[in-house]
Amino acid sequence: MVWAACWYLVAFDPDADRWRAMRVDRIEPHMPTHTPFDRRDIPHGDPAAFVMTAHDRGDAAAEWQCRGSAILALPASTVARFAPGGSTVGYDTETTCRLTLGAW
């Protein structure tokens, strides 16, 4: 997911026993553990909302008074390069994504 021109990974951190939104450019690679895991549901079922309100980022998003979103016939990786700051780009399929914008 992209928010404010940064890619985020939403994942459960078993060491901290909580969900986290981690900036992809700050993740350090680790060797695979080959430990299986159980699939978990993302809190409230919305990774974009989780990223925008994640407290571990240290900069909670301001709420927009007006918000709109659309499914675009472009891959998320393309839209993310041009999306304005504060917008979110969510993966939909290989060839489509959801762009959410807002204003005060």
Side-chain angles (χ1 to χ4, degrees):
M1 200 218 92
V2 176
W3 184 75
C6 295
W7 282 94
Y8 285 88
L9 169 67
V10 175
F12 187 80
D13 181 351
D15 293 333
D17 194 34
R18 66 185 174 103
W19 282 90
R20 295 189 52 205
M22 298 169 274
R23 279 185 45 175
V24 173
D25 62 324
R26 294 183 179 170
I27 296 174
E28 293 185 26
H30 294 281
M31 294 300 296
T33 63
H34 304 288
T35 303
F37 63 91
D38 293 323
R39 182 181 174 95
R40 298 171 189 249
D41 292 329
I42 295 173
H44 308 295
D46 186 357
F50 183 83
V51 169
M52 292 175 65
T53 59
H55 295 291
D56 57 42
R57 260 199 359 257
D59 60 342
E63 281 297 317
W64 290 317
Q65 290 179 353
C66 300
R67 185 183 318 217
S69 67
I71 299 289
L72 304 180
L74 292 166
S77 59
T78 300
V79 174
R81 284 186 274 162
F82 303 102
S87 63
T88 60
V89 179
Y91 177 86
D92 190 50
T93 70
E94 290 292 321
T95 58
T96 63
C97 68
R98 177 177 294 278
L99 175 64
T100 302
L101 300 165
W104 291 272

XYZ file of all heavy atoms in Angstrom:
810
model
N 0.831 -1.160 0.000
C 0.000 0.000 0.000
C 0.883 1.231 0.000
O 1.940 1.222 0.600
C -0.877 -0.039 1.252
C -2.092 0.833 1.110
S -2.521 1.686 2.619
C -1.663 3.189 2.422
N 0.463 2.291 -0.702
C 1.226 3.531 -0.752
C 0.445 4.614 -0.014
O -0.750 4.772 -0.220
C 1.474 3.977 -2.207
C 2.179 5.314 -2.249
C 2.272 2.933 -2.952
N 1.125 5.345 0.856
C 0.536 6.502 1.535
C 1.613 7.556 1.652
O 2.736 7.260 2.049
C 0.000 6.132 2.913
C -0.694 7.273 3.571
C -1.920 7.765 3.273
C -0.181 8.091 4.620
N -2.208 8.836 4.076
C -1.161 9.054 4.907
C 1.008 8.102 5.333
C -0.989 10.024 5.886
C 1.174 9.064 6.294
C 0.184 10.009 6.569
N 1.283 8.787 1.265
C 2.223 9.908 1.333
C 3.537 9.571 0.630
O 4.614 9.819 1.133
C 2.459 10.338 2.769
N 3.426 8.985 -0.550
C 4.552 8.657 -1.417
C 5.500 7.605 -0.839
O 6.638 7.501 -1.262
C 5.327 9.919 -1.789
N 5.052 6.820 0.142
C 5.864 5.744 0.709
C 5.089 4.435 0.645
O 3.890 4.402 0.883
C 6.213 6.036 2.165
S 7.270 7.471 2.381
N 5.803 3.357 0.341
C 5.194 2.017 0.338
C 5.212 1.476 1.761
O 6.206 1.604 2.474
C 5.990 1.079 -0.560
C 5.716 1.270 -2.007
C 6.425 2.050 -2.878
C 4.650 0.687 -2.762
N 5.866 1.983 -4.119
C 4.781 1.157 -4.083
C 3.617 -0.180 -2.445
C 3.908 0.779 -5.085
C 2.740 -0.562 -3.444
C 2.894 -0.081 -4.752
N 4.091 0.861 2.179
C 3.974 0.277 3.511
C 3.597 -1.189 3.419
O 2.827 -1.588 2.550
C 2.904 1.003 4.344
C 3.359 2.343 4.834
C 3.192 3.475 4.056
C 3.965 2.480 6.075
C 3.615 4.714 4.497
C 4.393 3.717 6.526
C 4.216 4.828 5.734
O 4.640 6.044 6.178
N 4.112 -1.963 4.354
C 3.743 -3.354 4.529
C 2.978 -3.440 5.846
O 3.470 -2.997 6.881
C 4.991 -4.242 4.605
C 4.759 -5.686 5.045
C 3.961 -6.441 3.985
C 6.080 -6.363 5.317
N 1.766 -3.975 5.798
C 0.977 -4.193 7.009
C 1.148 -5.654 7.387
O 0.853 -6.546 6.587
C -0.512 -3.853 6.791
C -1.333 -4.194 8.022
C -0.669 -2.387 6.423
N 1.663 -5.902 8.598
C 1.952 -7.271 9.013
C 1.844 -7.396 10.526
O 2.029 -6.424 11.259
C 3.361 -7.665 8.576
N 1.552 -8.612 10.968
C 1.525 -8.899 12.403
C 2.935 -9.200 12.850
O 3.631 -10.018 12.261
C 0.601 -10.076 12.706
C 0.419 -10.298 14.179
C -0.470 -9.518 14.891
C 1.148 -11.263 14.840
C -0.633 -9.708 16.259
C 1.002 -11.462 16.195
C 0.107 -10.682 16.909
N 3.377 -8.523 13.909
C 4.711 -8.717 14.468
C 4.581 -9.632 15.685
O 4.130 -9.203 16.740
C 5.293 -7.364 14.869
C 6.695 -7.454 15.436
O 7.187 -8.580 15.689
O 7.316 -6.392 15.634
N 4.954 -10.924 15.539
C 4.778 -11.850 16.670
C 5.658 -11.502 17.866
O 5.292 -11.775 18.999
C 5.127 -13.217 16.083
C 5.940 -12.934 14.873
C 5.518 -11.584 14.374
N 6.815 -10.882 17.638
C 7.688 -10.508 18.753
C 7.047 -9.429 19.621
O 7.194 -9.422 20.842
C 9.052 -10.030 18.246
C 9.841 -11.153 17.589
O 9.618 -12.334 17.948
O 10.660 -10.852 16.708
N 6.333 -8.491 18.982
C 5.660 -7.415 19.718
C 4.206 -7.762 20.015
O 3.532 -7.015 20.720
C 5.741 -6.121 18.911
N 3.698 -8.857 19.439
C 2.317 -9.310 19.610
C 1.316 -8.216 19.206
O 0.355 -7.931 19.922
C 2.068 -9.763 21.050
C 0.771 -10.549 21.177
O 0.427 -11.281 20.221
O 0.094 -10.412 22.216
N 1.563 -7.594 18.041
C 0.657 -6.553 17.546
C 0.850 -6.368 16.045
O 1.851 -6.789 15.478
C 0.881 -5.231 18.264
C 2.254 -4.605 17.991
C 2.457 -3.348 18.824
N 3.795 -2.848 18.678
C 4.130 -1.805 17.919
N 3.211 -1.148 17.264
N 5.376 -1.415 17.826
N -0.144 -5.728 15.415
C -0.057 -5.372 13.998
C 0.814 -4.143 13.851
O 0.812 -3.260 14.711
C -1.452 -5.089 13.443
C -2.204 -6.349 13.177
C -3.010 -7.013 14.050
C -2.186 -7.103 11.974
N -3.511 -8.143 13.453
C -3.021 -8.218 12.176
C -1.561 -6.943 10.745
C -3.243 -9.166 11.191
C -1.782 -7.882 9.766
C -2.607 -8.982 9.990
N 1.538 -4.068 12.732
C 2.400 -2.915 12.466
C 2.285 -2.503 11.009
O 2.044 -3.327 10.138
C 3.858 -3.257 12.772
C 4.064 -3.547 14.244
C 5.502 -3.679 14.621
N 6.272 -2.544 14.153
C 7.579 -2.594 13.905
N 8.242 -3.707 14.076
N 8.217 -1.535 13.500
N 2.480 -1.232 10.765
C 2.606 -0.695 9.414
C 4.067 -0.286 9.267
O 4.536 0.601 9.978
C 1.689 0.509 9.221
N 4.777 -0.959 8.374
C 6.213 -0.726 8.240
C 6.537 -0.150 6.869
O 6.057 -0.676 5.853
C 6.963 -2.044 8.449
C 6.745 -2.615 9.825
S 7.347 -4.313 9.980
C 5.905 -5.200 9.393
N 7.319 0.922 6.848
C 7.755 1.474 5.570
C 8.688 0.478 4.906
O 9.657 0.022 5.501
C 8.466 2.807 5.775
C 7.500 3.949 5.932
C 8.154 5.288 6.014
N 9.198 5.497 5.028
C 9.827 6.657 4.877
N 9.507 7.685 5.615
N 10.780 6.781 3.984
N 8.394 0.154 3.658
C 9.167 -0.862 2.948
C 10.623 -0.447 2.784
O 11.529 -1.281 2.885
C 8.507 -1.181 1.588
C 9.375 -2.099 0.754
C 7.138 -1.805 1.808
N 10.895 0.840 2.595
C 12.276 1.279 2.405
C 13.100 1.209 3.690
O 14.307 1.379 3.657
C 12.321 2.694 1.827
C 11.700 3.740 2.735
O 10.695 3.426 3.413
O 12.191 4.879 2.749
N 12.467 0.923 4.820
C 13.180 0.825 6.092
C 13.272 -0.607 6.617
O 13.782 -0.842 7.698
C 12.507 1.706 7.139
C 12.611 3.171 6.791
C 11.998 4.012 7.859
N 12.122 5.420 7.525
C 11.521 6.397 8.156
N 10.729 6.116 9.169
N 11.685 7.644 7.785
N 12.747 -1.558 5.867
C 12.781 -2.955 6.294
C 14.142 -3.548 5.951
O 14.633 -3.399 4.844
C 11.659 -3.768 5.610
C 10.297 -3.262 6.051
C 11.817 -5.259 5.924
C 9.146 -3.918 5.304
N 14.745 -4.214 6.941
C 16.019 -4.886 6.713
C 15.742 -6.359 6.421
O 14.985 -7.007 7.140
C 16.912 -4.770 7.945
C 17.356 -3.336 8.198
C 18.331 -3.250 9.349
O 19.027 -4.243 9.631
O 18.386 -2.189 9.962
N 16.363 -6.898 5.371
C 16.122 -8.310 5.040
C 16.678 -9.241 6.121
O 17.683 -8.941 6.762
C 16.856 -8.510 3.723
C 17.696 -7.307 3.508
C 17.269 -6.246 4.466
N 15.977 -10.341 6.320
C 16.403 -11.376 7.264
C 16.342 -12.722 6.552
O 15.605 -12.896 5.591
C 15.496 -11.413 8.494
C 15.583 -10.188 9.337
N 16.596 -9.957 10.220
C 14.782 -9.097 9.407
C 16.414 -8.810 10.806
N 15.316 -8.253 10.321
N 17.085 -13.667 7.061
C 17.061 -15.017 6.505
C 15.699 -15.638 6.798
O 15.130 -15.415 7.867
C 18.169 -15.876 7.122
C 19.571 -15.410 6.750
S 19.885 -15.439 4.977
C 19.756 -17.163 4.627
N 15.162 -16.424 5.856
C 13.885 -17.106 6.110
C 13.994 -18.037 7.310
O 15.023 -18.676 7.522
C 13.640 -17.911 4.836
C 14.555 -17.331 3.800
C 15.700 -16.705 4.533
N 12.936 -18.090 8.095
C 12.927 -18.973 9.267
C 12.285 -20.318 8.957
O 12.448 -21.256 9.718
C 12.147 -18.339 10.426
O 10.785 -18.185 10.021
C 12.749 -16.991 10.815
N 11.541 -20.383 7.847
C 10.810 -21.588 7.460
C 9.771 -21.986 8.513
O 9.345 -23.132 8.561
C 11.761 -22.748 7.159
C 12.761 -22.399 6.104
N 12.417 -22.268 4.774
C 14.086 -22.110 6.187
C 13.498 -21.932 4.081
N 14.515 -21.825 4.905
N 9.400 -21.045 9.370
C 8.370 -21.279 10.377
C 7.015 -20.961 9.758
O 6.807 -19.850 9.265
C 8.609 -20.377 11.611
O 9.917 -20.638 12.114
C 7.558 -20.622 12.672
N 6.086 -21.906 9.763
C 4.766 -21.624 9.188
C 4.013 -20.612 10.053
O 4.320 -20.429 11.230
C 4.067 -22.982 9.201
C 4.762 -23.758 10.247
C 6.177 -23.255 10.306
N 3.052 -19.966 9.445
C 2.255 -18.996 10.185
C 0.793 -19.163 9.820
O 0.448 -19.710 8.778
C 2.714 -17.563 9.897
C 2.555 -17.154 8.461
C 1.380 -16.540 8.027
C 3.566 -17.374 7.540
C 1.226 -16.164 6.700
C 3.418 -16.998 6.213
C 2.249 -16.395 5.791
N -0.061 -18.706 10.715
C -1.495 -18.730 10.476
C -1.920 -17.401 9.890
O -1.466 -16.341 10.346
C -2.260 -18.963 11.784
C -2.002 -20.353 12.354
O -1.883 -21.299 11.548
O -1.921 -20.477 13.583
N -2.792 -17.444 8.895
C -3.325 -16.222 8.301
C -4.169 -15.494 9.342
O -4.920 -16.103 10.089
C -4.174 -16.567 7.088
C -4.727 -15.383 6.378
C -5.584 -15.821 5.191
N -6.213 -14.692 4.598
C -5.743 -14.024 3.549
N -4.635 -14.425 2.975
N -6.379 -12.985 3.067
N -4.033 -14.170 9.409
C -4.801 -13.349 10.344
C -5.546 -12.280 9.557
O -5.072 -11.817 8.531
C -3.870 -12.641 11.334
C -3.080 -13.581 12.200
C -2.039 -12.782 12.992
N -1.123 -13.653 13.669
C -1.070 -13.801 14.979
N -1.891 -13.136 15.752
N -0.196 -14.620 15.517
N -6.679 -11.879 10.076
C -7.434 -10.794 9.455
C -6.840 -9.465 9.895
O -6.540 -9.255 11.079
C -8.907 -10.848 9.855
C -9.610 -12.061 9.263
O -9.220 -12.494 8.156
O -10.542 -12.569 9.909
N -6.672 -8.556 8.933
C -6.163 -7.214 9.232
C -7.202 -6.484 10.077
O -8.400 -6.595 9.820
C -5.885 -6.440 7.927
C -4.753 -7.127 7.169
C -5.544 -4.987 8.191
C -4.504 -6.567 5.802
N -6.777 -5.724 11.100
C -7.742 -5.005 11.925
C -8.696 -4.164 11.073
O -8.270 -3.429 10.187
C -6.869 -4.106 12.804
C -5.561 -4.824 12.877
C -5.406 -5.495 11.532
N -9.967 -4.326 11.310
C -11.049 -3.622 10.616
C -11.096 -3.959 9.126
O -11.801 -3.301 8.378
C -10.960 -2.113 10.826
C -10.847 -1.729 12.260
N -11.852 -1.949 13.172
C -9.826 -1.178 12.956
C -11.452 -1.532 14.364
N -10.234 -1.070 14.270
N -10.301 -4.936 8.671
C -10.345 -5.388 7.281
C -9.855 -4.397 6.257
O -10.090 -4.579 5.070
N -9.168 -3.344 6.662
C -8.763 -2.284 5.731
C -7.306 -1.893 5.965
O -7.009 -1.126 6.883
C -9.666 -1.073 5.916
C -9.411 0.018 4.901
O -8.485 -0.118 4.070
O -10.132 1.023 4.936
N -6.377 -2.408 5.152
C -4.965 -2.061 5.362
C -4.683 -0.573 5.177
O -3.830 -0.009 5.858
C -4.217 -2.903 4.342
C -5.228 -3.352 3.357
C -6.557 -3.342 4.052
N -5.399 0.095 4.280
C -5.164 1.534 4.070
C -5.523 2.329 5.314
O -4.761 3.203 5.746
C -5.967 2.028 2.875
N -6.657 2.033 5.921
C -7.052 2.737 7.142
C -6.065 2.440 8.265
O -5.727 3.327 9.042
C -8.464 2.329 7.548
N -5.576 1.200 8.326
C -4.612 0.855 9.367
C -3.328 1.670 9.207
O -2.810 2.211 10.175
C -4.303 -0.644 9.343
C -3.377 -1.049 10.454
C -3.880 -1.305 11.715
C -2.019 -1.149 10.233
C -3.024 -1.652 12.754
C -1.162 -1.498 11.263
C -1.667 -1.754 12.524
N -2.822 1.772 7.993
C -1.595 2.533 7.753
C -1.792 3.993 8.118
O -0.946 4.618 8.755
C -1.130 2.400 6.284
C -0.028 3.402 5.964
C -0.649 0.985 6.013
N -2.921 4.563 7.733
C -3.157 5.986 7.968
C -3.318 6.320 9.442
O -3.104 7.455 9.847
C -4.372 6.451 7.176
C -4.123 6.425 5.678
S -5.566 6.824 4.706
C -5.830 8.518 5.172
N -3.686 5.343 10.265
C -3.885 5.620 11.686
C -2.889 4.901 12.581
O -3.006 4.972 13.796
C -5.314 5.226 12.112
O -5.512 3.851 11.858
C -6.350 6.048 11.376
N -1.924 4.214 12.002
C -0.961 3.441 12.799
C -0.156 4.368 13.706
O 0.454 5.321 13.248
C -0.027 2.660 11.885
N -0.182 4.067 14.993
C 0.542 4.896 15.948
C 2.037 4.645 15.926
O 2.819 5.513 16.303
C 0.006 4.670 17.360
C -1.399 5.117 17.517
N -1.762 6.435 17.487
C -2.547 4.421 17.658
C -3.067 6.549 17.630
N -3.571 5.335 17.722
N 2.469 3.462 15.449
C 3.902 3.183 15.456
C 4.643 3.947 14.360
O 5.856 3.961 14.331
C 4.194 1.686 15.372
C 3.585 1.018 14.166
O 3.641 1.594 13.071
O 3.060 -0.090 14.323
N 3.885 4.630 13.459
C 4.534 5.476 12.461
C 4.964 6.795 13.071
O 5.879 7.448 12.590
C 3.558 5.759 11.310
C 3.777 4.918 10.135
C 3.160 5.476 8.874
N 2.449 6.698 9.027
C 1.127 6.814 9.069
N 0.367 5.764 9.008
N 0.564 7.979 9.172
N 4.258 7.228 14.101
C 4.626 8.478 14.748
C 4.035 9.715 14.111
O 4.288 10.820 14.571
N 3.263 9.588 13.048
C 2.660 10.762 12.415
C 1.264 10.408 11.917
O 1.055 10.180 10.749
C 3.524 11.294 11.275
C 3.750 10.268 10.180
O 3.543 9.077 10.409
O 4.136 10.682 9.082
N 0.336 10.341 12.837
C -1.025 9.963 12.475
C -1.577 10.915 11.428
O -1.316 12.110 11.453
C -1.917 9.967 13.715
N -2.332 10.382 10.505
C -2.880 11.174 9.409
C -4.006 12.072 9.882
O -4.785 11.708 10.748
C -3.413 10.242 8.326
N -4.081 13.252 9.301
C -5.202 14.146 9.571
C -6.426 13.610 8.827
O -6.311 13.080 7.737
C -4.865 15.555 9.092
N -7.577 13.736 9.441
C -8.801 13.286 8.791
C -9.274 14.335 7.795
O -9.332 15.519 8.113
C -9.894 13.041 9.834
C -9.742 11.725 10.549
C -9.868 10.526 9.625
O -10.765 10.514 8.752
O -9.065 9.607 9.775
N -9.623 13.906 6.617
C -10.170 14.794 5.607
C -11.665 14.954 5.815
O -12.352 14.010 6.173
C -9.929 14.228 4.214
C -8.516 14.245 3.764
C -7.618 15.249 3.917
C -7.842 13.215 3.050
N -6.429 14.907 3.346
C -6.542 13.658 2.802
C -8.225 11.962 2.602
C -5.606 12.905 2.122
C -7.295 11.214 1.928
C -6.004 11.679 1.689
N -12.181 16.156 5.561
C -13.617 16.379 5.635
C -14.315 15.744 4.437
O -15.438 15.281 4.539
C -13.932 17.869 5.693
C -13.518 18.507 7.001
C -13.822 19.991 7.023
O -14.230 20.581 6.042
N -13.618 20.603 8.169
N -13.665 15.765 3.298
C -14.218 15.168 2.078
C -13.235 14.124 1.576
O -12.034 14.377 1.526
C -14.417 16.224 0.995
S -15.545 17.533 1.470
N -13.755 12.965 1.205
C -12.891 11.895 0.730
C -13.583 11.188 -0.431
O -14.795 11.026 -0.433
C -12.632 10.911 1.856
C -11.654 9.832 1.509
C -11.492 8.836 2.622
N -11.419 9.486 3.902
C -10.651 9.099 4.895
N -9.899 8.058 4.754
N -10.654 9.732 6.033
N -12.807 10.754 -1.398
C -13.345 10.006 -2.525
C -12.329 8.995 -3.003
O -11.128 9.163 -2.799
N -12.820 7.932 -3.618
C -11.901 6.937 -4.152
C -12.458 6.393 -5.453
O -13.661 6.501 -5.729
C -11.673 5.804 -3.148
O -12.843 5.058 -2.967
N -11.562 5.847 -6.241
C -11.949 5.269 -7.531
C -11.026 4.105 -7.846
O -9.857 4.101 -7.455
C -11.843 6.316 -8.636
N -11.564 3.125 -8.554
C -10.757 2.026 -9.080
C -10.210 2.498 -10.423
O -10.972 2.917 -11.294
C -11.590 0.744 -9.268
C -12.157 0.273 -7.928
C -10.765 -0.347 -9.947
C -11.138 -0.288 -6.977
N -8.893 2.475 -10.569
C -8.240 2.907 -11.808
C -7.762 1.688 -12.590
O -7.309 0.705 -12.008
C -7.049 3.808 -11.497
C -7.341 5.053 -10.659
C -6.059 5.838 -10.426
C -8.391 5.925 -11.315
N -7.832 1.778 -13.886
C -7.377 0.690 -14.756
C -5.879 0.812 -15.005
O -5.400 0.805 -16.138
C -8.160 0.701 -16.067
N -5.131 0.917 -13.921
C -3.672 0.996 -13.950
C -3.136 0.223 -12.750
O -3.776 0.201 -11.699
C -3.200 2.451 -13.839
C -3.502 3.364 -15.017
C -3.300 4.813 -14.624
C -2.608 3.000 -16.192
N -1.956 -0.386 -12.870
C -1.395 -1.089 -11.718
C -0.994 -0.110 -10.614
O -0.643 1.046 -10.880
C -0.173 -1.817 -12.285
C 0.037 -1.313 -13.663
C -1.158 -0.519 -14.077
N -1.038 -0.577 -9.370
C -0.698 0.260 -8.218
C 0.710 0.847 -8.340
O 0.945 2.002 -7.979
C -0.831 -0.550 -6.932
N 1.647 0.076 -8.869
C 3.029 0.569 -8.981
C 3.127 1.781 -9.895
O 3.948 2.674 -9.668
C 3.955 -0.539 -9.467
O 3.514 -1.025 -10.731
N 2.303 1.860 -10.912
C 2.300 3.018 -11.819
C 1.658 4.222 -11.145
O 2.214 5.321 -11.145
C 1.543 2.687 -13.125
O 2.200 1.601 -13.762
C 1.493 3.886 -14.058
N 0.490 4.022 -10.549
C -0.234 5.125 -9.913
C 0.559 5.688 -8.741
O 0.598 6.900 -8.526
C -1.640 4.674 -9.480
C -2.355 5.763 -8.695
C -2.462 4.266 -10.698
N 1.236 4.839 -7.982
C 1.992 5.282 -6.808
C 3.087 6.278 -7.165
O 3.417 7.154 -6.372
C 2.589 4.079 -6.094
N 3.628 6.181 -8.368
C 4.687 7.114 -8.779
C 4.171 8.536 -8.957
O 4.922 9.488 -8.836
C 5.332 6.649 -10.076
C 6.275 5.488 -9.868
C 6.987 5.148 -11.136
N 6.127 4.226 -11.883
C 6.237 3.970 -13.168
N 7.155 4.559 -13.880
N 5.441 3.116 -13.748
N 2.873 8.679 -9.230
C 2.318 9.988 -9.542
C 1.272 10.467 -8.532
O 0.783 11.586 -8.631
C 1.691 9.968 -10.946
C 2.672 9.552 -12.001
C 2.661 8.269 -12.516
C 3.634 10.445 -12.449
C 3.586 7.886 -13.484
C 4.561 10.064 -13.411
C 4.534 8.779 -13.936
N 0.908 9.641 -7.573
C -0.125 10.002 -6.601
C 0.366 11.127 -5.691
O 1.508 11.117 -5.249
C -0.508 8.783 -5.774
N -0.491 12.099 -5.416
C -0.074 13.206 -4.544
C 0.086 12.756 -3.097
O -0.500 11.756 -2.673
C -1.229 14.206 -4.681
C -2.400 13.401 -5.101
C -1.854 12.250 -5.902
N 0.886 13.493 -2.332
C 1.072 13.204 -0.917
C -0.262 13.197 -0.192
O -1.140 13.989 -0.493
N -0.410 12.283 0.755
C -1.640 12.169 1.509
C -2.679 11.271 0.872
O -3.658 10.908 1.505
N -2.474 10.905 -0.387
C -3.400 9.981 -1.041
C -2.975 8.556 -0.717
O -1.863 8.314 -0.266
C -3.414 10.209 -2.552
O -2.145 9.938 -3.107
N -3.869 7.610 -0.927
C -3.510 6.211 -0.747
C -3.742 5.466 -2.053
O -4.684 5.757 -2.787
C -4.326 5.523 0.366
O -5.697 5.570 0.041
C -4.092 6.173 1.706
N -2.852 4.539 -2.328
C -2.972 3.681 -3.498
C -2.992 2.259 -2.970
O -2.038 1.808 -2.350
C -1.793 3.870 -4.473
C -1.930 2.945 -5.666
C -1.690 5.322 -4.913
N -4.090 1.568 -3.191
C -4.234 0.198 -2.714
C -4.294 -0.778 -3.870
O -4.912 -0.504 -4.894
N -3.649 -1.922 -3.701
C -3.656 -2.981 -4.707
C -5.075 -3.530 -4.844
O -5.754 -3.786 -3.853
C -2.697 -4.086 -4.274
C -2.679 -5.278 -5.195
C -1.851 -5.299 -6.307
C -3.475 -6.378 -4.950
C -1.823 -6.400 -7.150
C -3.466 -7.490 -5.775
C -2.631 -7.489 -6.881
O -2.607 -8.572 -7.704
N -5.552 -3.702 -6.076
C -6.853 -4.317 -6.338
C -6.628 -5.618 -7.103
O -6.960 -6.680 -6.618
C -7.748 -3.340 -7.105
C -9.180 -3.819 -7.205
O -9.753 -4.183 -6.163
O -9.710 -3.847 -8.327
N -6.047 -5.514 -8.291
C -5.637 -6.679 -9.082
C -4.300 -6.334 -9.713
O -3.772 -5.237 -9.501
C -6.653 -7.021 -10.194
O -6.610 -5.998 -11.197
C -8.072 -7.174 -9.644
N -3.777 -7.210 -10.554
C -2.509 -6.934 -11.236
C -2.594 -5.701 -12.130
O -1.595 -5.023 -12.356
C -2.081 -8.142 -12.086
C -1.651 -9.334 -11.278
C -0.359 -9.089 -10.520
O 0.543 -8.447 -11.062
O -0.283 -9.545 -9.367
N -3.788 -5.405 -12.635
C -3.934 -4.306 -13.607
C -4.818 -3.162 -13.110
O -5.061 -2.225 -13.853
C -4.527 -4.837 -14.933
O -5.787 -5.442 -14.656
C -3.589 -5.840 -15.575
N -5.300 -3.233 -11.872
C -6.136 -2.155 -11.329
C -5.735 -1.844 -9.892
O -5.138 -2.671 -9.199
C -7.636 -2.525 -11.338
O -7.844 -3.638 -10.491
C -8.129 -2.826 -12.747
N -6.071 -0.632 -9.444
C -5.816 -0.232 -8.072
C -6.877 0.755 -7.616
O -7.627 1.288 -8.440
C -4.422 0.383 -7.935
S -4.233 1.961 -8.774
N -6.957 0.982 -6.312
C -7.887 1.969 -5.767
C -7.084 3.194 -5.304
O -6.172 3.067 -4.495
C -8.667 1.405 -4.577
C -9.599 2.456 -3.933
C -10.410 1.873 -2.806
N -11.344 0.874 -3.282
C -12.537 1.154 -3.811
N -12.923 2.402 -3.954
N -13.322 0.169 -4.208
N -7.429 4.357 -5.850
C -6.813 5.622 -5.446
C -7.809 6.366 -4.580
O -8.956 6.576 -4.975
C -6.453 6.465 -6.677
C -5.918 7.869 -6.399
C -4.587 7.815 -5.651
C -5.775 8.658 -7.686
N -7.380 6.746 -3.373
C -8.231 7.509 -2.450
C -7.584 8.862 -2.220
O -6.404 8.944 -1.889
C -8.399 6.767 -1.112
O -8.961 5.474 -1.382
C -9.322 7.527 -0.181
N -8.373 9.910 -2.407
C -7.924 11.288 -2.224
C -8.862 11.994 -1.264
O -10.009 11.567 -1.077
C -7.938 12.051 -3.557
C -7.057 11.494 -4.670
C -7.465 12.111 -5.993
C -5.611 11.806 -4.363
N -8.403 13.087 -0.688
C -9.268 13.842 0.193
C -8.914 15.319 0.179
O -7.942 15.740 -0.429
N -9.778 16.091 0.825
C -9.559 17.543 0.930
C -10.257 18.043 2.189
O -11.175 17.417 2.703
C -10.107 18.247 -0.297
N -9.823 19.197 2.669
C -10.462 19.820 3.807
C -11.508 20.791 3.334
O -12.350 21.232 3.931
C -9.424 20.539 4.687
C -8.546 19.578 5.366
C -8.765 18.987 6.572
C -7.312 19.055 4.919
N -7.755 18.133 6.873
C -6.837 18.160 5.890
C -6.549 19.242 3.785
C -5.647 17.474 5.758
C -5.365 18.561 3.651
C -4.920 17.679 4.626
